[in-house]
Amino acid sequence: MIIIGVDFHPEFQQIASVDTETGEFQEKRLAHREEAETFYRGLAAAGQKVRVGMEASGHGRWFERLLSELQIELWIGDAAEIRTRRVRKQKTDRQDAQLILKLMLKDDFPQIWVPSWENRDLRQLLWHRHRMVQARTRIMNQLQAVALNEGLRCKKRLWREHGRQQLESFRLAPWASRRRRDLLELMDRLNPTIAELSQAIEGEVEKCPEARRLMTHPGVGALTALAFVLIIGKAERFGSGKQVASYLGLVPLEDSSGNRRRLGHITKQGSSMMRFLLVEAAQVTVRSVPEWRSKYLHLMMRRGRKTAKVAMARRLAVRLYWMWRKGWDYEQWKKFGSHAGQPGHRDGVQ
């Protein structure tokens, strides 16, 4: 077998390889994409059994597809974990590739779970809608500012027929008028796109029983439920709700030593979109469930509004995890949730 450690860059990759049968060691720098494709296709054509290891990267989808097509085994490792294994202060591409190779040979490579291609493609649907909504929100805020400058303050009523007529009726200077017209046109183009994407998400939820089950929880819609299922991947990957909260970046940074314990802001690791959706969903839950409202108000008085919102988002993430893990809908959770096992009490899901 040929084992290859890859230090991957957008323009090139530095590799360090060893043939486990002959002991032959080789180092190369392969330009993307032509030179790299030629090299790996040559190994596949020769009938060689190959295993490739690399750090998780956001720019290597084409490379992963290539290796999958050639049926070459690919290990993707946790970049932070690999970084902690580096002993030398000096850092070069060659040393990085050699380190990955060394970890693979020692069977100490920190391999991570990789979602399927279908999962990744559905995440693109969620991200696309999320970005479109963000763009529309920025446009709407600018139009609200135009209205306020003209003495019109009607908040959400601005987007009703009468509010829009008022907004369009203001006499503005030429370039201000042009800006208002362009912003309205952009918003009119975004609305049907967002509606189409939302409909596509609802269609995907119909195919996903786990997401439909999570949607029974108050405040959790199709977008939040599907995003949670796609980003968590498999409930069995995590042993507790605390691990899920850590994976989503909803736990505080800690810098403790000796008798001193210091907690900071949340880590914000993982998906920023998932954290945003959980915070939004948790606020709806707070408005609809008295128990959550009481907990939220108590936290808000003690720690402030922002901290309380994040705490409720973490609570919701843990609750959704256990509903998924146990295969329960919301009614079953209310009936059996207090007996979900000791991990439930430990994670604070009550």
Side-chain angles (χ1 to χ4, degrees), residues 38-39 43 68 78 86 94-95 104 109 122 130 135 142 175 181 187 214 225 254 261 291 302 309:
T38 302
F39 175 77
L43 291 177
S68 177
D78 186 330
R86 185 182 297 116
R94 287 183 59 195
Q95 289 174 351
M104 295 177 73
F109 186 74
L122 286 177
H130 184 59
Q142 292 180 66
W175 284 111
R181 184 176 72 250
M187 188 175 71
L214 297 184
E254 183 169 2
R261 186 168 186 242
E291 176 197 351
R302 287 180 54 236
K309 286 182 179 180

Side-chain angles (χ1 to χ4, degrees), residues 144-206:
Q144 286 281 7
V146 171
L148 286 171
N149 283 330
E150 298 302 318
L152 177 64
R153 185 176 183 273
C154 52
K155 297 184 178 180
K156 292 183 179 180
R157 289 181 288 115
L158 184 65
W159 314 120
R160 298 175 186 170
E161 184 178 356
H162 180 64
R164 174 143 179 176
Q165 288 176 354
Q166 286 182 291
L167 178 61
E168 292 177 336
S169 67
F170 294 133
R171 291 186 177 181
L172 304 176
W175 284 111
S177 178
R178 167 68 182 272
R179 177 168 176 256
R180 175 184 59 185
R181 184 176 72 250
D182 289 350
L183 289 173
L184 288 170
E185 289 176 358
L186 285 171
M187 188 175 71
D188 290 340
R189 288 206 297 269
L190 284 173
N191 283 333
T193 300
I194 293 171
E196 181 184 354
L197 295 172
S198 299
Q199 188 175 2
I201 289 171
E202 291 175 0
E204 293 297 334
V205 167
E206 289 300 316

Side-chain angles (χ1 to χ4, degrees), residues 279-298:
V279 169
E280 293 292 307
Q283 291 180 72
V284 178
T285 308
V286 164
R287 291 194 291 269
S288 55
V289 180
E291 176 197 351
W292 284 61
R293 187 183 307 117
S294 174
K295 180 72 173 177
Y296 171 75
L297 292 174
H298 179 68

Side-chain angles (χ1 to χ4, degrees), residues 214-230:
L214 297 184
M215 283 179 62
T216 61
H217 193 286
V220 178
L223 178 59
T224 304
L226 184 60
F228 192 83
V229 170
L230 292 176

Side-chain angles (χ1 to χ4, degrees), residues 76-93:
I76 297 181
D78 186 330
E81 284 289 330
I82 293 173
R83 196 177 302 119
T84 62
R85 314 291 174 86
R86 185 182 297 116
V87 178
R88 296 182 179 180
K89 295 289 185 180
Q90 188 181 25
K91 179 187 180 299
T92 66
D93 296 336

Side-chain angles (χ1 to χ4, degrees), residues 58-72:
H59 308 287
R61 298 288 172 85
W62 69 269
F63 184 57
E64 294 177 44
R65 286 195 299 268
L66 172 66
L67 298 188
S68 177
E69 175 193 336
L70 299 176
Q71 296 185 343
I72 293 176

